[in-house]
């Protein structure tokens, strides 16, 4: 009976959206199949293998209480594609009996007998991001880093965005996402990226959704060489009320995050990634 329970558990984890661990369900989005260590994990967090139309596209650690992602992890693969215009939510944050694929909010309410109150208890909803003053919906995993319309659509879920300073989102952070990343990834074969948000002291939507104090990004890429395998890394961090991005080494970012989270140490990537 115990063996049967274990087998059933493994089958469920392999196909669910909200999972027990990234290692068991969608490790492919992390360098050496290794997610960041538990130092950043909040209480009551959710591990989401972001699934759209029956396919995983990236991974997100989500803070249910603050209703923002802690980080999203993905493989950088930008190609030309049109930008989606619809926003999605995560049904399984309500309960594992709901659909495994992300859904449009209205579709979930109409077709699955879910109330807006049920949905809003588990995550941010569209209403939370209306009438923003000086803020915008900031993607952690940006759609521009994805190769096609489906993968770009998968980034348009409210579990992948935070209230981001509008000038930063359209200014220095956009330059980093679209120009600096393109420059830094020249010669890279595979680039693993983790983008995160440090919770702040302010909230939007009557205290429902946290406004991060910092946005950060770290990357580890395999350099395309003929005879040897080598890796390089880089990182940035930005205060979420200034239009400026600071460049760091990966090790410097991990040290900074350890200070911001009041932890002894933080590891964003497997230790074989250079610091």
């Amino acid at each position: 009976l115990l063996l049967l329970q274990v087998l059933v558990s493994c089958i469920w984890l392999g196909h669910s959206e909200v999972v027990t661990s990234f290692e068991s369900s969608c490790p492919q989005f992390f360098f050496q199949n290794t997610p960041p260590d538990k130092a950043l994990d909040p209480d009551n967090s959710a591990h989401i293998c972001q699934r759209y139309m029956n396919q995983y596209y990236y991974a997100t650690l989500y803070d249910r209480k603050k209703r923002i992602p802690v980080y999203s992890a993905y493989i950088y693969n930008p190609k030309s594609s049109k930008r989606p215009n619809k926003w999605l939510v995560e049904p399984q944050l309500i309960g594992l009996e709901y659909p495994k694929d992300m859904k449009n909010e209205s579709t979930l309410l109409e077709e699955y007998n879910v109330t807006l109150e049920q949905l809003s208890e588990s995550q941010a909803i569209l209403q939370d991001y209306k009438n923003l003053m000086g803020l915008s919906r900031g993607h952690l995993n940006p759609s521009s880093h994805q190769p096609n319309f489906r993968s770009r659509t998968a980034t348009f879920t409210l579990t992948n965005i935070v209230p981001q300073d509008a000038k930063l989102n359209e200014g220095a952070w956009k330059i980093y996402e679209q120009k600096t990343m393109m420059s830094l990834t020249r010669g890279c074969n595979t680039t693993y990226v983790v983008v995160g948000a440090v919770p702040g002291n302010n909230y939007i939507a009557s205290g429902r959704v946290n406004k991060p104090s910092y946005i950060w990004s770290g990357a580890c890429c395999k350099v395309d060489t003929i005879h040897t395998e080598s890796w390089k890394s880089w990182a940035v961090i930005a205060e979420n009320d200034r239009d400026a991005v600071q460049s760091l080494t990966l090790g410097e970012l991990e040290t900074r995050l350890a200070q911001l989270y009041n932890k002894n140490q933080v590891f964003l990537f497997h230790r074989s990634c250079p610091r």
Side-chain angles (χ1 to χ4, degrees), residues 30 47 57 70 78 104 170 208 237:
F30 302 92
H47 295 75
Y57 287 101
V70 179
N104 182 275
E170 290 300 317
R208 281 182 38 81
I237 193 168

Side-chain angles (χ1 to χ4, degrees), residues 140-214:
L140 294 192
N141 176 5
S143 65
S144 61
H145 288 186
Q146 297 299 315
N148 55 55
F149 186 69
R150 280 193 180 184
S151 58
R152 288 190 171 203
T153 300
T155 69
F156 273 71
T157 168
L158 298 184
T159 56
N160 180 49
I161 66 167
V162 298
Q164 187 173 12
D165 181 270
K167 291 182 179 179
L168 174 64
N169 194 22
E170 290 300 317
W173 195 260
K174 186 175 183 178
I175 292 172
Y176 172 73
E177 287 181 338
Q178 297 189 1
K179 294 183 178 180
T180 308
M181 278 288 289
M182 185 176 294
S183 176
L184 290 171
T185 54
R186 287 192 185 122
C188 290
N189 189 339
T190 305
T191 302
Y192 296 89
V193 185
V194 180
V195 182
V198 180
N201 296 321
N202 298 315
Y203 286 77
I204 65 168
S206 301
R208 281 182 38 81
V209 179
N210 185 266
K211 176 196 170 187
S213 56
Y214 291 87

Side-chain angles (χ1 to χ4, degrees), residues 176 184 217-219 233-237 246-251 253 268:
Y176 172 73
L184 290 171
S217 177
S233 66
W234 61 88
V236 295
I237 193 168
Q246 180 184 3
S247 296
L248 303 169
T249 66
L250 177 58
L253 175 61
L268 298 177

